[in-house]
Amino acid sequence: MTSLKGKVVLITGAGRGIGRACALRAAEEGADLIITDIGDSINSVPYQLSTHDQLETTAERCKELGSSVLMQLADVCEMNDILALVEAAVNRFGRIDAAVNNAGIGAPAGKATHLYTSEEWEILLNVNLSGPWRLIKAVAPIMIEQQYGSIINVASTAGLLGYKHFAGYVASKHGLVGLTKSAALDYAPQNIRVNAICPGPVYDDERLDGHMTKVVADSLGLRLGDQESIDLESVALNTVVSPLDVADAMVWLASDQSQRVTGTTITVDAGYSAK
């Protein structure tokens, strides 16, 4: 416990799922938090994104765990939103020790590469790749001044492997892994570490308002139960990943226990990518 005591952690996409799990685990480990999510819809994304109420639920649960929490809506596609978020964080806490790029979308998907519209392709890259770059651009000057920081990008096994009918998502997550490696080299002289977590199939935990397994099922025209069975059969350990498993990896990367780790990916996939 308290491996993040005294640290300030910023988490995007914290309204539900992996983002909420990361916020709760960071709070349990003693961190103060800046949490954000979009709280709105995007026209070309075919499912409901996280709401203001879901982000507020995350904030309240973290406060119950003893964390001081700054909650602010922000769209990772808007540089002004990200700059305002980081400015508010520094005004409130004076520093940012770790930044978790978790915000992302899993669809539009479910089609061959040439069938994506330009709008569909561009929103996947804008949220999943350019969004993390925007946060890095905003927090890097703070961390350079501190001469310390940990940036954690939540990628996917889709950043390591190909998935049929998910070319936009796969391209964005491969790009995020590449961004991780290059940024790690850029900021190593300032003692800023940059790493990626690559989750495999993650189940939709109702306690966390998880939604991504359903997004995948809907994209492929499958029943949720059928997609869950496919996910279970695809992993070596015969158990799909909990969002809290991903959050545990995040806590380690945000802590001083991983101070010699940078430019790498941690795969949390129950053996999916070993096959």
Side-chain angles (χ1 to χ4, degrees):
M1 287 289 289
T2 68
S3 67
L4 298 181
K5 186 173 179 59
K7 293 192 181 297
V8 177
V9 179
L10 187 159
I11 303 171
T12 68
R16 64 188 184 195
I18 290 173
R20 181 180 289 178
C22 287
L24 292 173
R25 286 291 291 116
E28 288 172 350
E29 293 292 331
D32 291 327
L33 296 169
I34 306 101
I35 59 170
T36 188
D37 215 313
I38 189 170
D40 202 354
S41 60
I42 297 176
N43 288 337
S44 51
V45 177
Y47 62 92
Q48 175 64 51
L49 299 177
S50 184
T51 66
H52 178 275
D53 287 348
Q54 287 174 318
L55 185 62
E56 198 165 61
T57 296
T58 302
E60 290 306 314
R61 289 177 61 181
C62 290
K63 289 175 184 176
E64 290 170 2
L65 292 166
S67 181
S68 179
V69 180
L70 170 64
M71 184 191 95
Q72 185 165 312
L73 294 178
D75 182 352
V76 297
C77 293
E78 297 294 334
M79 192 71 225
N80 286 340
D81 281 12
I82 298 303
L83 290 171
L85 176 70
V86 170
E87 181 179 13
V90 173
N91 287 342
R92 171 75 173 269
F93 296 109
R95 59 187 297 110
I96 299 172
D97 297 297
V100 183
N101 270 311
N102 172 71
I105 55 174
K111 61 185 76 179
T113 303
H114 72 287
L115 296 177
Y116 284 82
T117 67
S118 293
E119 184 182 21
E120 289 171 335
W121 182 264
E122 287 164 5
I123 194 61
L124 283 159
L125 294 179
N126 199 2
V127 175
N128 293 352
L129 178 55
S130 296
W133 169 78
R134 290 185 186 96
L135 185 62
I136 293 171
K137 181 175 176 63
V139 301
I142 308 302
M143 292 182 174
I144 289 170
E145 184 175 352
Q146 295 171 176
Q147 290 289 290
Y148 176 84
S150 176
I151 296 169
I152 301 155
N153 297 322
V154 179
S156 168
T157 51
L160 307 172
L161 307 168
Y163 285 82
K164 184 179 181 180
H165 290 163
F166 281 83
Y169 182 76
V170 168
S172 68
K173 293 299 187 177
H174 270 69
L176 185 54
V177 170
L179 173 62
T180 299
K181 293 178 181 295
S182 288
L185 296 175
D186 286 343
Y187 302 120
Q190 288 82 34
N191 195 32
I192 300 165
R193 300 178 295 107
V194 188
N195 293 287
I197 303 172
C198 292
V202 176
Y203 72 79
D204 290 342
D205 189 329
E206 292 182 1
R207 298 167 299 173
L208 303 170
D209 291 340
H211 193 68
M212 290 311 296
T213 303
K214 188 176 187 306
V215 168
V216 173
D218 289 347
S219 295
L220 297 174
L222 298 174
R223 292 174 53 250
L224 178 59
D226 291 338
Q227 183 60 49
E228 289 172 336
S229 296
I230 290 169
D231 288 344
L232 187 61
E233 292 169 2
S234 71
V235 297
L237 290 177
N238 197 37
T239 176
V240 288
V241 174
S242 164
L244 294 169
D245 296 326
V246 182
D248 285 340
M250 180 281 301
V251 166
W252 184 69
L253 288 172
S255 76
D256 293 338
Q257 295 167 5
S258 60
Q259 59 185 316
R260 300 291 181 267
V261 179
T262 196
T264 194
T265 59
I266 295 179
T267 306
V268 185
D269 68 352
Y272 178 86
S273 59
K275 292 187 175 181

